[in-house]
Amino acid sequence: KRQLVLLGFMIFIGGFLETLGVSTMIPVVTVLLTPEKVQEYIELLDTKSQRLKQLTEDLLEASKISSGNIVLHMERINLVELLNQTLGEFSEKFEQKGLISVVNAPSQAVYVLADSRRSYRVIENLFNNIYKYALEGTRIYIDLGFTEWKSADGSGSQAGVFLSLKNISAMELNVAPEELTERFIRGDESRTTEGSGLGLSIAKNLTEAMNGMFEISIDGDLFKVVLVFPKMDDVKPQTEV
């Protein structure tokens, strides 16, 4: 019964899409469908609905960030701890594709001023990008350390904390680095993964909203992204932006 209800819903959606000029693979005559085909379509509908839900959420978040319509709770963040936490959450995914993480980071705490939840989202998006597009069986180089960078007003340099991620792309990167942070760009038009093409755009905009720097570089199949934040010692804490 549940299958028939869901199948009926699929047919309704298919008809609705067709009225919008969108092609659908849902057959008009359902009486010829086998139980196996019914289950196949149910699973397909579930997959597509999850992708649509994720795309909608990503698009809404990207729009809020680009319009400045977000509230940041700036606080003292241990970037080493956040990196290790996120890396631990992705360890199983990386193992599935034979990706080996090579981490070079201080053992002690390194503090920056940032929004904890948004900082996690930035690193999560970057790791998701690696998981989806890195060549299987290769190494991921992750470096965290200190650097000097220009202050936001361009008046001079200041001490900063950088996070660098490098991986080998599974497919040819045939776009300019700056284009990869544009919405719906996924590096190669032939990619058919579940990515929305918004991950890097969201990561860049969130980083810059927290007064950080976000830079992508490409050398052949080598993809590299560098984040830089002011050291906590060089910034004045504030509670909300």
Side-chain angles (χ1 to χ4, degrees):
K1 184 177 179 181
R2 173 175 171 271
Q3 290 181 340
L4 291 176
V5 171
L6 288 173
L7 184 58
F9 176 69
M10 287 174 62
I11 296 171
F12 169 77
I13 293 296
F16 175 72
L17 290 176
E18 287 181 338
T19 64
L20 298 178
V22 179
S23 62
T24 175
M25 295 179 62
I26 300 174
V28 177
V29 181
T30 62
V31 69
L32 299 179
L33 288 178
T34 65
E36 291 76 15
K37 275 293 182 182
V38 170
Q39 184 61 37
E40 180 182 333
Y41 284 124
I42 290 173
E43 292 174 358
L44 177 62
L45 177 61
D46 180 64
T47 300
K48 296 297 183 182
S49 64
Q50 290 300 321
R51 288 183 62 180
L52 180 60
K53 178 176 179 291
Q54 185 63 55
L55 175 60
T56 303
E57 292 174 352
D58 286 350
L59 186 57
L60 287 174
E61 182 172 19
S63 298
K64 286 182 179 179
I65 298 167
S66 61
S67 65
N69 189 27
I70 59 170
V71 176
L72 298 175
H73 301 279
M74 306 295 279
E75 57 184 330
R76 191 171 182 247
I77 301 295
N78 181 355
L79 199 56
V80 174
E81 181 179 51
L82 183 61
L83 171 63
N84 290 333
Q85 172 193 334
T86 315
L87 187 58
E89 293 175 2
F90 274 80
S91 59
E92 185 175 341
K93 277 189 169 184
F94 287 166
E95 287 176 5
Q96 290 174 1
K97 292 194 171 182
L99 298 172
I100 303 170
S101 302
V102 180
V103 182
N104 179 24
S107 56
Q108 71 274 18
V110 175
Y111 294 103
V112 298
L113 182 67
D115 181 298
S116 178
R117 186 168 67 91
R118 308 293 187 178
S119 298
Y120 170 79
R121 180 66 193 274
V122 169
I123 299 176
E124 178 189 39
N125 281 12
L126 295 177
F127 280 177
N128 264 322
N129 188 73
I130 291 173
Y131 171 71
K132 292 173 184 174
Y133 303 129
L135 181 66
E136 295 189 15
T138 57
R139 295 182 180 85
I140 309 163
Y141 290 92
I142 305 170
D143 298 287
L144 190 152
F146 304 99
T147 187
E148 291 287 325
W149 68 315
K150 289 184 179 180
S151 56
D153 58 10
S155 60
S157 62
Q158 64 184 96
V161 177
F162 75 86
L163 174 61
S164 168
L165 305 175
K166 291 180 288 187
N167 68 269
I168 301 296
S169 175
M171 305 186 74
E172 182 181 358
L173 294 170
N174 54 4
V175 298
E178 58 271 16
E179 292 181 2
L180 285 173
T181 53
E182 295 179 4
R183 296 182 186 181
F184 306 111
I185 298 295
R186 295 189 293 170
D188 190 287
E189 294 180 355
S190 64
R191 286 177 172 176
T192 56
T193 62
E194 69 277 13
S196 66
L198 290 166
L200 292 178
S201 175
I202 290 173
K204 180 179 186 292
N205 290 333
L206 280 178
T207 300
E208 293 177 348
M210 294 184 288
N211 302 314
M213 183 195 79
F214 186 102
E215 185 176 86
I216 289 176
S217 61
I218 296 173
D219 185 359
D221 293 330
L222 177 65
F223 174 88
K224 178 180 180 181
V225 59
V226 178
L227 314 177
V228 182
F229 291 99
K231 281 183 62 180
M232 186 63 188
D233 295 340
D234 300 317
V235 292
K236 191 173 183 180
Q238 45 188 319
T239 56
E240 196 169 284
V241 175

